[in-house]
Structure formats: structure tokens, C-alpha cells
Amino acid sequence: MAQAAARHEASGFRFTDRLLAEAAKGRKAERTQARIQAAACRLLEDRAATELKVAEICAGAGLAHGTFYIYFRDVRHLMAQTLTAFVAFMQASMRGAARIGGRDRIRASNTAYFGLFEDNAGLMRCLVSRQDDFPEAAQAFQMLNRDWAQTVVEARLRQLAREGRAAPPREELMRRAYALGGMVDQYLIALLFGRDGTLAEISRDREAVVATLSLIWERGMEP
């Protein structure tokens, strides 16, 4: 299990890499669309989605300006589709990490989530701070949070049943899962997007941060 987890982590969580790799297997149209999306993702690293320009995206993709409109109506349409696809990528990455994490699913999942934040800062910033601009992506992100909370709760209920321990009501565990997920989001947002020098100083050790987040999850889901 440990070797599998290491291979998974080493592969990275950069959405643009996966996007281009998958498109390379398809037709020219799929490759071109992926190049446009990847170029937009790169531009998001240092600007807001509302500041993206079609000309800049096409220049970054190495394509003629008019090519953009063959695939997308406008930048908003491009970002809605890209963010929705990114959420699906997040979900697959989290599930994959949990599956190969064995008994340490919480730590494996937190490692993956941290990696997704780090490797896709621009996309994550859009998801957590500009939800009103992209309702389709916001809905997909909400569904991801719901499905993940349910997964965590079901796993905890099965564990408590195996151990013969009384379990809190399901609704209570769901509230905790949502609250804990929100805490992790806010920590990573402040760490990666904020300007808090103290937080940055105490968070230099990545593995220690993952251990802290995992400890919060484990204790928060206890009866």
C-alpha cells in the first residue's frame, strides 16, 4: 500500500497535465480544445478569471484567435466547462488516494487534497472565491463536498460497528464532516493564497501540515 501511495503522489495532481495527456489520445479537435483550456489554466496562476482575454488565451495555446470560438462561446463558457472538469478530476484523485491509502485513508486523502491545492492554485482560487461567477462549477463542487462527507461518514459508521462502539446520529456526523472540510479549506486558502507570515512560518513542513489536518479529521469524527 505504501509503495502504491508513493507512486500516486509522485504522479502529481496537476489538472493541465492530465487534461493534455487524455486529449492526446483523442482527435485533433479534442487536442485543440485541451490546449485552449490548459492555456487558460496557466494564465489563472497570476490573475482572476474575470481578467482573462481570448487573445491572451489563444496566444498561450499557440492558436489563431478565431479558433477559440469554434469550441467556446466566450471566456465564461470556457471557464465553466474547465472548472466542472477540474472538479471531476479532484473527485477521482481523492477517491484514488483513499483507495490506495489502506488503513490510513484520512492521511492519504489530505495529502491528495493538499496536492490539488498546490498544483492547481488558479483553479482552486476560482472554485473557493468566485462561485457566483460559475454556477455550474459551484454546483459540481458542492456535490463533491457532499459526496465526500457521505463517504467519510459511512466509513466511520462501519468502523464503529466493527469495534462495537455506539455511533452518533448520522446527521451529527454529516455536520462534523462538513465543518471539518470547511476548516481544511480555510487553512489551505490562508496558507496558499493569503499573506499570513506566521501561518507560512509554522507550515513549512508539508508532512507536518498533513499530519495536523489528519489529526483534526480523526478526532473530529470520534463519537
Side-chain angles (χ1 to χ4, degrees):
M1 286 294 184
Q3 291 179 347
R7 286 196 300 272
H8 186 76
E9 185 175 352
S11 67
F13 296 99
R14 194 175 300 279
F15 175 62
T16 53
D17 292 345
R18 182 67 60 85
L19 180 70
L20 293 171
E22 290 297 321
K25 305 173 186 176
R27 298 172 299 171
K28 180 180 179 181
E30 293 169 339
R31 297 195 300 271
T32 302
Q33 179 173 325
R35 285 169 61 188
I36 294 171
Q37 291 177 290
C41 292
R42 288 192 290 269
L43 289 170
L44 284 173
E45 294 301 312
D46 59 11
R47 69 194 69 187
T50 52
E51 298 173 349
L52 293 179
K53 305 297 183 184
V54 172
E56 290 182 311
I57 295 170
C58 290
L63 298 168
H65 187 281
T67 303
F68 178 94
Y69 297 101
I70 297 174
Y71 300 93
F72 304 102
R73 294 189 299 273
D74 50 30
V75 172
R76 182 180 292 274
H77 180 217
L78 161 67
M79 288 309 305
Q81 287 205 4
T82 302
L83 286 167
T84 301
F86 173 57
V87 171
F89 170 72
M90 288 178 63
Q91 187 171 49
S93 298
M94 295 287 288
R95 286 178 174 172
R99 184 171 58 253
I100 67 177
R103 294 183 178 180
D104 206 359
R105 288 184 177 88
I106 291 178
R107 188 182 185 91
S109 300
N110 277 312
T111 298
Y113 200 54
F114 198 168
L116 287 162
F117 257 88
E118 288 180 312
D119 289 352
N120 307 279
L123 290 166
M124 288 301 305
R125 193 182 294 112
C126 285
L127 278 181
V128 299
S129 65
R130 306 290 300 186
Q131 292 198 3
D132 291 342
D133 292 338
F134 308 105
E136 304 95 334
Q139 183 178 14
F141 193 46
Q142 290 168 6
M143 290 178 63
L144 181 150
N145 288 332
R146 182 202 64 196
D147 291 348
W148 191 250
Q150 290 176 339
T151 297
V152 170
V153 168
E154 292 302 325
R156 178 59 64 175
L157 288 173
R158 289 194 298 271
Q159 180 182 356
L160 292 173
R162 287 195 302 269
E163 296 172 353
R165 301 163 65 194
R170 187 182 300 270
E171 287 188 356
E172 167 62 18
L173 290 177
M174 283 292 290
R175 285 193 294 270
R176 294 188 198 181
Y178 267 100
L180 291 163
M183 289 170 62
V184 171
D185 281 345
Q186 289 305 310
Y187 188 101
L188 294 178
I189 290 167
L191 175 61
L192 299 174
F193 306 147
R195 300 178 181 275
D196 190 325
T198 301
L199 179 60
E201 178 67 26
I202 64 174
S203 303
R204 290 182 177 180
D205 186 335
R206 188 180 189 279
E207 289 304 310
V209 172
V210 170
T212 297
L213 299 179
S214 301
L215 178 64
I216 290 171
W217 267 104
E218 290 165 358
R219 292 190 177 176
M221 297 302 290
E222 279 294 298

CSV table of all heavy atoms in Angstrom, one decimal, residues 113-168:
chain,number,residue,atom,x,y,z
A,113,TYR,N,-5.5,16.2,-1.3
A,113,TYR,CA,-6.2,17.5,-1.3
A,113,TYR,C,-5.2,18.6,-1.2
A,113,TYR,O,-5.4,19.6,-2.0
A,113,TYR,CB,-7.2,17.5,-0.2
A,113,TYR,CG,-8.3,18.6,-0.4
A,113,TYR,CD1,-9.1,18.5,-1.5
A,113,TYR,CD2,-8.6,19.5,0.6
A,113,TYR,CE1,-10.1,19.5,-1.7
A,113,TYR,CE2,-9.6,20.5,0.4
A,113,TYR,CZ,-10.3,20.4,-0.7
A,113,TYR,OH,-11.3,21.4,-0.9
A,114,PHE,N,-4.2,18.5,-0.4
A,114,PHE,CA,-3.2,19.5,-0.3
A,114,PHE,C,-2.5,19.6,-1.7
A,114,PHE,O,-2.2,20.7,-2.2
A,114,PHE,CB,-2.2,19.1,0.8
A,114,PHE,CG,-1.3,20.2,1.2
A,114,PHE,CD1,-0.5,20.0,2.4
A,114,PHE,CD2,-1.2,21.4,0.6
A,114,PHE,CE1,0.3,21.1,2.8
A,114,PHE,CE2,-0.4,22.4,1.0
A,114,PHE,CZ,0.4,22.3,2.2
A,115,GLY,N,-2.2,18.5,-2.3
A,115,GLY,CA,-1.5,18.5,-3.6
A,115,GLY,C,-2.4,19.1,-4.7
A,115,GLY,O,-1.9,19.9,-5.5
A,116,LEU,N,-3.7,18.9,-4.6
A,116,LEU,CA,-4.6,19.5,-5.6
A,116,LEU,C,-4.6,21.0,-5.4
A,116,LEU,O,-4.6,21.8,-6.4
A,116,LEU,CB,-6.0,19.0,-5.4
A,116,LEU,CG,-6.2,17.6,-5.9
A,116,LEU,CD1,-7.5,16.9,-5.3
A,116,LEU,CD2,-6.3,17.5,-7.4
A,117,PHE,N,-4.6,21.5,-4.2
A,117,PHE,CA,-4.5,23.0,-3.9
A,117,PHE,C,-3.2,23.5,-4.5
A,117,PHE,O,-3.2,24.5,-5.2
A,117,PHE,CB,-4.6,23.3,-2.4
A,117,PHE,CG,-5.9,23.8,-2.0
A,117,PHE,CD1,-6.9,22.9,-1.6
A,117,PHE,CD2,-6.1,25.1,-1.9
A,117,PHE,CE1,-8.1,23.4,-1.2
A,117,PHE,CE2,-7.4,25.6,-1.5
A,117,PHE,CZ,-8.4,24.8,-1.1
A,118,GLU,N,-2.1,22.9,-4.2
A,118,GLU,CA,-0.8,23.3,-4.6
A,118,GLU,C,-0.6,23.4,-6.1
A,118,GLU,O,0.0,24.3,-6.6
A,118,GLU,CB,0.3,22.5,-3.9
A,118,GLU,CG,0.5,22.7,-2.5
A,118,GLU,CD,1.6,21.7,-1.9
A,118,GLU,OE1,1.6,20.5,-2.3
A,118,GLU,OE2,2.5,22.3,-1.2
A,119,ASP,N,-1.0,22.3,-6.7
A,119,ASP,CA,-0.7,22.1,-8.2
A,119,ASP,C,-1.7,22.8,-9.1
A,119,ASP,O,-1.5,22.9,-10.3
A,119,ASP,CB,-0.7,20.6,-8.5
A,119,ASP,CG,0.5,19.9,-8.0
A,119,ASP,OD1,1.4,20.6,-7.4
A,119,ASP,OD2,0.6,18.7,-8.0
A,120,ASN,N,-2.8,23.3,-8.5
A,120,ASN,CA,-3.9,24.0,-9.3
A,120,ASN,C,-4.4,25.2,-8.6
A,120,ASN,O,-5.6,25.4,-8.5
A,120,ASN,CB,-5.0,23.0,-9.5
A,120,ASN,CG,-4.6,21.7,-10.1
A,120,ASN,OD1,-4.3,21.5,-11.3
A,120,ASN,ND2,-4.4,20.6,-9.2
A,121,ALA,N,-3.4,26.1,-8.2
A,121,ALA,CA,-3.8,27.2,-7.4
A,121,ALA,C,-4.8,28.1,-8.0
A,121,ALA,O,-5.8,28.6,-7.4
A,121,ALA,CB,-2.5,28.0,-7.0
A,122,GLY,N,-4.6,28.4,-9.3
A,122,GLY,CA,-5.6,29.3,-10.0
A,122,GLY,C,-7.0,28.7,-10.1
A,122,GLY,O,-7.9,29.4,-9.8
A,123,LEU,N,-7.1,27.5,-10.4
A,123,LEU,CA,-8.4,26.8,-10.5
A,123,LEU,C,-9.0,26.7,-9.1
A,123,LEU,O,-10.2,27.0,-9.0
A,123,LEU,CB,-8.2,25.4,-11.1
A,123,LEU,CG,-7.9,25.4,-12.6
A,123,LEU,CD1,-7.4,24.0,-13.0
A,123,LEU,CD2,-9.1,25.8,-13.4
A,124,MET,N,-8.3,26.4,-8.1
A,124,MET,CA,-8.8,26.3,-6.7
A,124,MET,C,-9.3,27.7,-6.3
A,124,MET,O,-10.3,27.8,-5.6
A,124,MET,CB,-7.8,25.7,-5.8
A,124,MET,CG,-7.5,24.3,-5.9
A,124,MET,SD,-9.0,23.2,-5.7
A,124,MET,CE,-9.6,23.7,-4.1
A,125,ARG,N,-8.5,28.7,-6.6
A,125,ARG,CA,-8.9,30.1,-6.2
A,125,ARG,C,-10.3,30.4,-6.8
A,125,ARG,O,-11.1,31.0,-6.1
A,125,ARG,CB,-7.9,31.1,-6.6
A,125,ARG,CG,-8.0,32.4,-6.0
A,125,ARG,CD,-7.0,33.4,-6.5
A,125,ARG,NE,-5.6,33.0,-6.1
A,125,ARG,CZ,-4.7,32.6,-6.9
A,125,ARG,NH1,-4.9,32.5,-8.2
A,125,ARG,NH2,-3.5,32.3,-6.5
A,126,CYS,N,-10.5,30.0,-8.1
A,126,CYS,CA,-11.8,30.3,-8.7
A,126,CYS,C,-12.9,29.5,-8.0
A,126,CYS,O,-14.0,30.1,-7.7
A,126,CYS,CB,-11.8,29.8,-10.2
A,126,CYS,SG,-10.9,30.9,-11.3
A,127,LEU,N,-12.7,28.3,-7.6
A,127,LEU,CA,-13.7,27.5,-7.0
A,127,LEU,C,-14.1,28.0,-5.6
A,127,LEU,O,-15.3,28.0,-5.3
A,127,LEU,CB,-13.2,26.0,-6.9
A,127,LEU,CG,-13.3,25.1,-8.1
A,127,LEU,CD1,-12.8,23.7,-7.7
A,127,LEU,CD2,-14.8,25.0,-8.6
A,128,VAL,N,-13.1,28.4,-4.9
A,128,VAL,CA,-13.4,28.8,-3.5
A,128,VAL,C,-13.8,30.3,-3.3
A,128,VAL,O,-14.4,30.7,-2.3
A,128,VAL,CB,-12.3,28.5,-2.5
A,128,VAL,CG1,-12.0,27.0,-2.6
A,128,VAL,CG2,-11.0,29.2,-2.9
A,129,SER,N,-13.5,31.1,-4.3
A,129,SER,CA,-13.8,32.5,-4.1
A,129,SER,C,-14.7,33.2,-5.2
A,129,SER,O,-15.1,34.3,-5.0
A,129,SER,CB,-12.4,33.3,-4.1
A,129,SER,OG,-11.8,33.2,-5.3
A,130,ARG,N,-14.9,32.5,-6.3
A,130,ARG,CA,-15.7,33.1,-7.4
A,130,ARG,C,-16.9,32.2,-7.8
A,130,ARG,O,-17.2,32.1,-8.9
A,130,ARG,CB,-14.8,33.4,-8.6
A,130,ARG,CG,-13.6,34.2,-8.4
A,130,ARG,CD,-13.9,35.6,-8.1
A,130,ARG,NE,-14.6,36.3,-9.1
A,130,ARG,CZ,-14.8,37.6,-9.1
A,130,ARG,NH1,-14.4,38.3,-8.1
A,130,ARG,NH2,-15.5,38.2,-10.1
A,131,GLN,N,-17.6,31.6,-6.8
A,131,GLN,CA,-18.6,30.6,-7.1
A,131,GLN,C,-19.8,31.2,-7.8
A,131,GLN,O,-20.4,30.6,-8.7
A,131,GLN,CB,-19.0,29.9,-5.8
A,131,GLN,CG,-17.9,29.0,-5.2
A,131,GLN,CD,-18.5,28.0,-4.3
A,131,GLN,OE1,-19.7,27.9,-4.0
A,131,GLN,NE2,-17.6,27.3,-3.7
A,132,ASP,N,-20.1,32.5,-7.5
A,132,ASP,CA,-21.3,33.1,-8.2
A,132,ASP,C,-21.0,33.3,-9.7
A,132,ASP,O,-22.0,33.4,-10.4
A,132,ASP,CB,-21.6,34.5,-7.5
A,132,ASP,CG,-22.1,34.3,-6.1
A,132,ASP,OD1,-22.6,33.2,-5.8
A,132,ASP,OD2,-22.1,35.3,-5.3
A,133,ASP,N,-19.8,33.4,-10.1
A,133,ASP,CA,-19.4,33.7,-11.5
A,133,ASP,C,-19.6,32.4,-12.3
A,133,ASP,O,-19.9,32.5,-13.5
A,133,ASP,CB,-18.0,34.2,-11.6
A,133,ASP,CG,-17.8,35.6,-11.0
A,133,ASP,OD1,-18.8,36.3,-10.9
A,133,ASP,OD2,-16.7,35.9,-10.7
A,134,PHE,N,-19.5,31.3,-11.7
A,134,PHE,CA,-19.5,30.0,-12.4
A,134,PHE,C,-20.5,29.0,-11.7
A,134,PHE,O,-20.0,28.1,-11.0
A,134,PHE,CB,-18.1,29.4,-12.6
A,134,PHE,CG,-17.1,30.4,-13.1
A,134,PHE,CD1,-16.2,31.0,-12.3
A,134,PHE,CD2,-17.2,30.7,-14.5
A,134,PHE,CE1,-15.3,31.9,-12.8
A,134,PHE,CE2,-16.3,31.7,-15.0
A,134,PHE,CZ,-15.3,32.3,-14.2
A,135,PRO,N,-21.8,29.2,-11.8
A,135,PRO,CA,-22.7,28.4,-11.0
A,135,PRO,C,-22.6,26.9,-11.3
A,135,PRO,O,-22.8,26.1,-10.4
A,135,PRO,CB,-24.1,28.9,-11.4
A,135,PRO,CG,-23.9,29.7,-12.7
A,135,PRO,CD,-22.5,30.2,-12.6
A,136,GLU,N,-22.3,26.5,-12.6
A,136,GLU,CA,-22.2,25.1,-12.9
A,136,GLU,C,-21.1,24.5,-12.1
A,136,GLU,O,-21.2,23.4,-11.6
A,136,GLU,CB,-22.0,24.9,-14.4
A,136,GLU,CG,-23.0,25.5,-15.3
A,136,GLU,CD,-22.6,26.9,-15.8
A,136,GLU,OE1,-21.8,27.6,-15.1
A,136,GLU,OE2,-23.1,27.3,-16.8
A,137,ALA,N,-19.9,25.2,-12.1
A,137,ALA,CA,-18.8,24.6,-11.4
A,137,ALA,C,-19.1,24.6,-9.9
A,137,ALA,O,-18.7,23.7,-9.1
A,137,ALA,CB,-17.5,25.5,-11.7
A,138,ALA,N,-19.7,25.7,-9.4
A,138,ALA,CA,-20.1,25.7,-8.0
A,138,ALA,C,-21.0,24.6,-7.5
A,138,ALA,O,-20.8,24.0,-6.5
A,138,ALA,CB,-20.8,27.1,-7.6
A,139,GLN,N,-21.9,24.2,-8.4
A,139,GLN,CA,-22.8,23.1,-8.1
A,139,GLN,C,-22.0,21.8,-8.1
A,139,GLN,O,-22.2,20.9,-7.2
A,139,GLN,CB,-23.9,23.0,-9.1
A,139,GLN,CG,-24.9,21.9,-8.8
A,139,GLN,CD,-26.0,21.9,-9.9
A,139,GLN,OE1,-26.0,22.5,-10.9
A,139,GLN,NE2,-27.1,21.2,-9.6
A,140,ALA,N,-21.1,21.6,-9.0
A,140,ALA,CA,-20.3,20.4,-9.1
A,140,ALA,C,-19.4,20.3,-7.8
A,140,ALA,O,-19.2,19.3,-7.2
A,140,ALA,CB,-19.4,20.4,-10.3
A,141,PHE,N,-18.9,21.5,-7.4
A,141,PHE,CA,-18.0,21.5,-6.2
A,141,PHE,C,-18.8,21.2,-4.9
A,141,PHE,O,-18.4,20.4,-4.0
A,141,PHE,CB,-17.4,22.9,-6.0
A,141,PHE,CG,-16.2,22.9,-5.0
A,141,PHE,CD1,-15.3,22.0,-5.0
A,141,PHE,CD2,-16.2,24.0,-4.1
A,141,PHE,CE1,-14.2,22.0,-4.1
A,141,PHE,CE2,-15.1,24.1,-3.2
A,141,PHE,CZ,-14.2,23.1,-3.2
A,142,GLN,N,-20.1,21.7,-4.9
A,142,GLN,CA,-20.9,21.3,-3.7
A,142,GLN,C,-21.3,19.9,-3.7
A,142,GLN,O,-21.3,19.2,-2.6
A,142,GLN,CB,-22.2,22.2,-3.8
A,142,GLN,CG,-22.0,23.7,-3.5
A,142,GLN,CD,-23.2,24.5,-3.9
A,142,GLN,OE1,-24.2,24.0,-4.3
A,142,GLN,NE2,-23.0,25.8,-3.8
A,143,MET,N,-21.5,19.3,-4.9
A,143,MET,CA,-21.8,17.8,-4.9
A,143,MET,C,-20.5,17.0,-4.5
A,143,MET,O,-20.7,16.0,-3.8
A,143,MET,CB,-22.2,17.5,-6.4
A,143,MET,CG,-23.5,18.0,-6.8
A,143,MET,SD,-24.0,17.6,-8.5
A,143,MET,CE,-24.0,15.8,-8.4
A,144,LEU,N,-19.4,17.5,-4.9
A,144,LEU,CA,-18.1,16.8,-4.5
A,144,LEU,C,-18.0,16.8,-2.9
A,144,LEU,O,-17.7,15.8,-2.3
A,144,LEU,CB,-16.9,17.5,-5.1
A,144,LEU,CG,-15.5,16.9,-4.8
A,144,LEU,CD1,-14.6,17.1,-5.9
A,144,LEU,CD2,-14.9,17.5,-3.5
A,145,ASN,N,-18.3,18.0,-2.3
A,145,ASN,CA,-18.2,18.1,-0.9
A,145,ASN,C,-19.2,17.2,-0.2
A,145,ASN,O,-19.0,16.6,0.8
A,145,ASN,CB,-18.4,19.6,-0.4
A,145,ASN,CG,-17.3,20.5,-0.8
A,145,ASN,OD1,-16.1,20.0,-0.8
A,145,ASN,ND2,-17.5,21.7,-1.0
A,146,ARG,N,-20.4,17.2,-0.8
A,146,ARG,CA,-21.5,16.3,-0.2
A,146,ARG,C,-21.1,14.8,-0.3
A,146,ARG,O,-21.2,14.1,0.7
A,146,ARG,CB,-22.8,16.5,-1.0
A,146,ARG,CG,-24.0,15.7,-0.4
A,146,ARG,CD,-25.1,15.6,-1.5
A,146,ARG,NE,-24.6,14.8,-2.6
A,146,ARG,CZ,-25.2,14.8,-3.8
A,146,ARG,NH1,-26.3,15.5,-4.0
A,146,ARG,NH2,-24.7,14.1,-4.8
A,147,ASP,N,-20.6,14.4,-1.5
A,147,ASP,CA,-20.3,13.0,-1.7
A,147,ASP,C,-19.1,12.6,-0.8
A,147,ASP,O,-19.1,11.5,-0.3
A,147,ASP,CB,-19.9,12.8,-3.2
A,147,ASP,CG,-21.1,12.9,-4.1
A,147,ASP,OD1,-22.3,12.9,-3.6
A,147,ASP,OD2,-20.9,12.9,-5.3
A,148,TRP,N,-18.1,13.6,-0.6
A,148,TRP,CA,-17.0,13.2,0.2
A,148,TRP,C,-17.4,13.1,1.7
A,148,TRP,O,-17.0,12.2,2.4
A,148,TRP,CB,-15.9,14.3,0.1
A,148,TRP,CG,-14.6,13.8,0.7
A,148,TRP,CD1,-14.1,14.3,1.8
A,148,TRP,CD2,-13.8,12.7,0.3
A,148,TRP,NE1,-12.9,13.6,2.1
A,148,TRP,CE2,-12.8,12.6,1.2
A,148,TRP,CE3,-13.9,11.8,-0.7
A,148,TRP,CZ2,-11.8,11.7,1.1
A,148,TRP,CZ3,-12.9,10.9,-0.9
A,148,TRP,CH2,-11.9,10.8,0.1
A,149,ALA,N,-18.3,14.0,2.1
A,149,ALA,CA,-18.8,14.0,3.5
A,149,ALA,C,-19.5,12.6,3.8
A,149,ALA,O,-19.3,12.0,4.8
A,149,ALA,CB,-19.7,15.1,3.8
A,150,GLN,N,-20.3,12.2,2.8
A,150,GLN,CA,-21.1,11.0,2.9
A,150,GLN,C,-20.1,9.8,3.0
A,150,GLN,O,-20.3,8.9,3.8
A,150,GLN,CB,-22.0,10.8,1.8
A,150,GLN,CG,-23.2,11.8,1.9
A,150,GLN,CD,-24.1,11.7,0.7
A,150,GLN,OE1,-23.7,11.2,-0.4
A,150,GLN,NE2,-25.4,12.1,0.8
A,151,THR,N,-19.1,9.8,2.1
A,151,THR,CA,-18.1,8.8,2.1
A,151,THR,C,-17.4,8.6,3.5
A,151,THR,O,-17.2,7.5,4.0
A,151,THR,CB,-17.0,9.0,1.0
A,151,THR,OG1,-17.7,9.0,-0.2
A,151,THR,CG2,-15.9,8.0,1.1
A,152,VAL,N,-17.0,9.8,4.0
A,152,VAL,CA,-16.3,9.8,5.3
A,152,VAL,C,-17.2,9.3,6.4
A,152,VAL,O,-16.8,8.5,7.3
A,152,VAL,CB,-15.8,11.2,5.7
A,152,VAL,CG1,-15.3,11.3,7.1
A,152,VAL,CG2,-14.7,11.7,4.7
A,153,VAL,N,-18.5,9.7,6.4
A,153,VAL,CA,-19.4,9.3,7.4
A,153,VAL,C,-19.7,7.8,7.4
A,153,VAL,O,-19.7,7.1,8.4
A,153,VAL,CB,-20.7,10.1,7.3
A,153,VAL,CG1,-21.8,9.5,8.2
A,153,VAL,CG2,-20.5,11.5,7.7
A,154,GLU,N,-19.9,7.3,6.2
A,154,GLU,CA,-20.2,5.8,6.0
A,154,GLU,C,-19.0,5.0,6.5
A,154,GLU,O,-19.1,4.0,7.1
A,154,GLU,CB,-20.5,5.5,4.6
A,154,GLU,CG,-21.8,6.1,4.1
A,154,GLU,CD,-23.0,5.6,4.9
A,154,GLU,OE1,-23.0,4.4,5.3
A,154,GLU,OE2,-23.9,6.4,5.1
A,155,ALA,N,-17.8,5.5,6.2
A,155,ALA,CA,-16.6,4.8,6.6
A,155,ALA,C,-16.5,4.8,8.1
A,155,ALA,O,-16.1,3.8,8.8
A,155,ALA,CB,-15.3,5.4,6.0
A,156,ARG,N,-16.8,5.9,8.7
A,156,ARG,CA,-16.7,6.0,10.2
A,156,ARG,C,-17.8,5.1,10.9
A,156,ARG,O,-17.5,4.4,11.9
A,156,ARG,CB,-16.9,7.4,10.7
A,156,ARG,CG,-16.9,7.6,12.2
A,156,ARG,CD,-15.6,7.2,12.8
A,156,ARG,NE,-14.5,8.0,12.4
A,156,ARG,CZ,-13.3,7.8,12.8
A,156,ARG,NH1,-13.0,6.9,13.7
A,156,ARG,NH2,-12.3,8.6,12.4
A,157,LEU,N,-19.0,5.0,10.3
A,157,LEU,CA,-20.0,4.2,10.9
A,157,LEU,C,-19.7,2.7,10.8
A,157,LEU,O,-19.9,2.0,11.7
A,157,LEU,CB,-21.4,4.5,10.1
A,157,LEU,CG,-22.0,5.8,10.4
A,157,LEU,CD1,-23.2,6.0,9.5
A,157,LEU,CD2,-22.5,5.9,11.9
A,158,ARG,N,-19.1,2.3,9.6
A,158,ARG,CA,-18.6,0.9,9.5
A,158,ARG,C,-17.5,0.6,10.5
A,158,ARG,O,-17.5,-0.5,11.1
A,158,ARG,CB,-18.1,0.7,8.1
A,158,ARG,CG,-19.2,0.7,7.0
A,158,ARG,CD,-18.7,0.1,5.7
A,158,ARG,NE,-17.6,0.9,5.1
A,158,ARG,CZ,-17.8,1.9,4.3
A,158,ARG,NH1,-19.0,2.2,3.9
A,158,ARG,NH2,-16.7,2.5,3.8
A,159,GLN,N,-16.6,1.5,10.7
A,159,GLN,CA,-15.5,1.3,11.7
A,159,GLN,C,-16.1,1.1,13.1
A,159,GLN,O,-15.7,0.2,13.9
A,159,GLN,CB,-14.5,2.4,11.6
A,159,GLN,CG,-13.4,2.3,12.6
A,159,GLN,CD,-12.4,3.4,12.6
A,159,GLN,OE1,-12.6,4.4,11.8
A,159,GLN,NE2,-11.4,3.4,13.5
A,160,LEU,N,-17.0,2.0,13.5
A,160,LEU,CA,-17.6,2.0,14.8
A,160,LEU,C,-18.4,0.7,15.0
A,160,LEU,O,-18.3,0.1,16.1
A,160,LEU,CB,-18.5,3.2,15.1
A,160,LEU,CG,-17.8,4.5,15.2
A,160,LEU,CD1,-18.8,5.7,15.2
A,160,LEU,CD2,-16.8,4.6,16.4
A,161,ALA,N,-19.1,0.2,14.0
A,161,ALA,CA,-19.8,-1.0,14.1
A,161,ALA,C,-18.9,-2.2,14.2
A,161,ALA,O,-19.1,-3.1,15.1
A,161,ALA,CB,-20.7,-1.2,12.8
A,162,ARG,N,-17.7,-2.2,13.5
A,162,ARG,CA,-16.8,-3.3,13.7
A,162,ARG,C,-16.2,-3.3,15.1
A,162,ARG,O,-15.9,-4.4,15.6
A,162,ARG,CB,-15.6,-3.1,12.7
A,162,ARG,CG,-16.0,-3.5,11.2
A,162,ARG,CD,-14.7,-3.6,10.4
A,162,ARG,NE,-13.9,-2.4,10.4
A,162,ARG,CZ,-14.0,-1.4,9.5
A,162,ARG,NH1,-14.9,-1.5,8.6
A,162,ARG,NH2,-13.2,-0.4,9.6
A,163,GLU,N,-16.0,-2.1,15.7
A,163,GLU,CA,-15.4,-2.1,17.0
A,163,GLU,C,-16.4,-2.2,18.1
A,163,GLU,O,-16.1,-2.2,19.3
A,163,GLU,CB,-14.7,-0.7,17.2
A,163,GLU,CG,-13.5,-0.5,16.2
A,163,GLU,CD,-13.0,0.9,16.2
A,163,GLU,OE1,-13.6,1.8,16.9
A,163,GLU,OE2,-11.9,1.1,15.6
A,164,GLY,N,-17.7,-2.3,17.7
A,164,GLY,CA,-18.8,-2.5,18.7
A,164,GLY,C,-19.0,-1.2,19.6
A,164,GLY,O,-19.5,-1.3,20.7
A,165,ARG,N,-18.8,-0.1,19.0
A,165,ARG,CA,-18.9,1.2,19.7
A,165,ARG,C,-20.2,1.9,19.2
A,165,ARG,O,-20.6,1.8,18.1
A,165,ARG,CB,-17.7,2.1,19.5
A,165,ARG,CG,-16.4,1.5,19.9
A,165,ARG,CD,-15.2,2.2,19.4
A,165,ARG,NE,-15.1,3.5,19.8
A,165,ARG,CZ,-14.3,4.5,19.3
A,165,ARG,NH1,-13.6,4.2,18.2
A,165,ARG,NH2,-14.3,5.7,19.8
A,166,ALA,N,-20.8,2.6,20.1
A,166,ALA,CA,-22.0,3.4,19.8
A,166,ALA,C,-21.6,4.5,18.9
A,166,ALA,O,-20.6,5.2,19.0
A,166,ALA,CB,-22.7,3.9,21.0
A,167,ALA,N,-22.5,4.8,17.9
A,167,ALA,CA,-22.2,5.8,16.9
A,167,ALA,C,-23.1,7.0,17.1
A,167,ALA,O,-24.3,6.8,17.5
A,167,ALA,CB,-22.4,5.3,15.5
A,168,PRO,N,-22.7,8.2,16.9
A,168,PRO,CA,-23.5,9.4,17.0
A,168,PRO,C,-24.6,9.3,15.8
A,168,PRO,O,-24.4,8.5,14.9
A,168,PRO,CB,-22.6,10.6,16.8
A,168,PRO,CG,-21.2,10.0,17.0
A,168,PRO,CD,-21.3,8.6,16.7
